[in-house]
Amino acid sequence: MVSVVIPAHDEARVIGRLLARLAGSGFDIVVVPNGCTDGTADVAASFGVRVVTSPEASKAEALRLGDRAARGFPRLYVDADVELGADDVRALAAALDRPGVLAAAPARVLDLTRRPWPVRWYYDVWTRLPEVRRGLFGRGVIAVGADGHARLARLPGVIADDLAASLAFAADERAVVETARVLIHPPRTWGDLLRRRTRAVTGVAQLEEAALDQAGGSARTSVRDLAAMAARDPRLLPRLALFLTVTLLARWRARRAGAATWQRDESSRE
């Protein structure tokens, strides 16, 4: 039995678009509303899935609760604000049957309609980065079998949970499944882009401070990567300049805000 664990904090506006594509598929679906002040639990329950509530607004704790409630493997951890179909889940489960593959994630499809040009330019660079293309992070979905799950169970509760999960597996232990697609809703505003990137910077810093055993290496973007992109296509130079500006601003904001600050992007939930 495939289990799908969905942590959800105040996601009443958007969780229905995910559950509408998964409910009735025969999967064991567990939604964990955590610290919610809206109707997330009621919306989830209306789709006939199991709901396990937590008073604490903590994604890490929600994942632990959902994990304990889940009944089978393969097991998927899915963010409530993305869209994933039943066939995509099956493709990810099938990928875990390949010899040596412990973790899998779908290909990204970014909905950039009605996004301002700075947001589009940023993601035009971000999606070309080698580690972004290879890694399981930034997709809102990670699938593991029993062996992969055992490795994830040893990870601490850090903000960059999907990045930590991706780096826990070596390149030959993880698979990006092109026949599976996840629809991601990027930020709609410049401010929300900065908030999302500040959260990402904070998560990377937490991982480095935790000194985890990162079998997958590092996901940091190198100057060499950006220089290689500019050499291949000089037309990207304005976009690369904007990408660097966002990166530097996010690092500055992360240092000011401190590691405990949650930088949530609300615009992608509209």
Side-chain angles (χ1 to χ4, degrees), residues 116-126 238-240 242-243:
W117 66 265
V119 173
R120 296 197 306 271
W121 278 22
Y122 179 88
Y123 281 101
D124 194 18
V125 173
W126 186 77
R239 288 169 169 76
L240 289 166
L242 181 135
F243 180 88

Side-chain angles (χ1 to χ4, degrees), residues 15-30:
I15 195 171
R17 65 193 182 193
L18 170 63
L19 293 177
R21 299 183 62 183
L22 295 179
S25 58
F27 304 138
D28 170 40
I29 301 174
V30 183

Side-chain angles (χ1 to χ4, degrees), residues 54-232:
S54 169
E56 181 182 358
S58 166
K59 186 175 182 180
E61 179 60 23
L63 286 169
R64 283 191 286 269
L65 288 173
D67 218 25
R68 287 199 290 267
R71 294 168 176 161
F73 288 101
R75 188 165 300 173
L76 279 73
Y77 303 97
V78 182
D79 289 350
D81 61 337
V82 303
E83 296 183 51
L84 188 77
D87 287 343
D88 304 306
V89 172
R90 295 185 185 101
L92 292 171
L96 293 170
D97 286 335
R98 302 176 194 167
V101 175
L102 302 182
R108 302 181 189 88
V109 177
L110 300 180
D111 180 5
L112 290 170
T113 56
R114 299 191 302 277
R115 267 56 175 183
W117 66 265
V119 173
R120 296 197 306 271
W121 278 22
Y122 179 88
Y123 281 101
D124 194 18
V125 173
W126 186 77
T127 53
R128 297 171 189 249
L129 297 173
E131 291 304 322
V132 171
R133 296 174 70 88
R134 291 191 291 259
L136 306 183
F137 60 89
R139 303 173 191 272
V141 180
I142 290 184
V144 293
D147 291 340
H149 174 266
R151 189 173 300 181
L152 290 186
R154 299 194 294 267
L155 296 179
V158 294
I159 289 179
D161 48 274
D162 60 342
L163 177 57
S166 178
L167 296 178
F169 301 98
D172 60 351
E173 294 177 322
R174 64 191 189 216
V176 174
V177 183
E178 296 297 331
T179 55
R181 297 283 192 274
V182 59
L183 181 62
I184 298 172
H185 299 272
R188 291 180 180 269
T189 68
W190 169 259
D192 279 300
L193 173 62
L194 284 178
R195 274 185 281 277
R196 184 174 289 197
R197 298 319 303 166
T198 300
R199 176 173 175 257
V201 168
T202 302
V204 171
Q206 285 190 342
L207 288 181
E208 292 175 347
E209 290 174 6
L212 298 181
D213 179 14
Q214 297 180 0
S218 172
R220 278 196 179 274
T221 300
S222 69
V223 175
R224 182 180 300 176
D225 291 331
L226 299 180
M229 291 172 62
R232 287 193 299 270

